Amino acid sequence: MKAIWNNQVLAESNDTIVIENNHYFPAASIKEEFFQASGKHTICPWKGEASYYTLVVDGQKNEDAAWYYPNPKDAAKEIKHYVAFWKGVQIG
């Protein structure tokens, strides 16, 4: 699987985990040069608190377009150290 935005591969892995129709990529598979920490956080009742990244590719920003659970609840412990995408990031 690949995560692509602005004609750039952001992550690539054969070991994604699919939860709620989202592919979660292992953190080791992301190209860190395209990720900036964001101050955004949201709460999922069963996964816990999500943190976000803003994507930066060729000077263009996609705010809060990737998320991860640094300390997921037990029900979602399998996605610790995994990153998912939205906001126009193509997964395929």
Side-chain angles (χ1 to χ4, degrees), residues 3-16:
I4 301 170
W5 181 70
N6 202 16
N7 298 313
Q8 181 64 57
V9 176
L10 306 170
E12 185 172 2
S13 176
N14 292 324
D15 297 316
T16 62

Side-chain angles (χ1 to χ4, degrees), residues 6-60:
N6 202 16
N7 298 313
Q8 181 64 57
V9 176
L10 306 170
E12 185 172 2
S13 176
N14 292 324
D15 297 316
T16 62
I17 297 172
V18 180
I19 296 178
E20 298 176 332
N21 295 318
N22 293 304
H23 281 269
Y24 284 77
F25 288 76
S29 73
I30 70 170
K31 296 184 179 178
E32 293 182 15
E33 64 268 27
F34 302 119
F35 292 73
Q36 290 182 349
S38 165
K40 181 179 174 91
H41 297 278
T42 57
I43 301 291
C44 171
W46 70 275
K47 292 188 294 266
E49 183 179 31
S51 296
Y52 288 76
Y53 291 114
T54 291
L55 305 174
V56 182
V57 176
D58 293 332
Q60 294 186 37

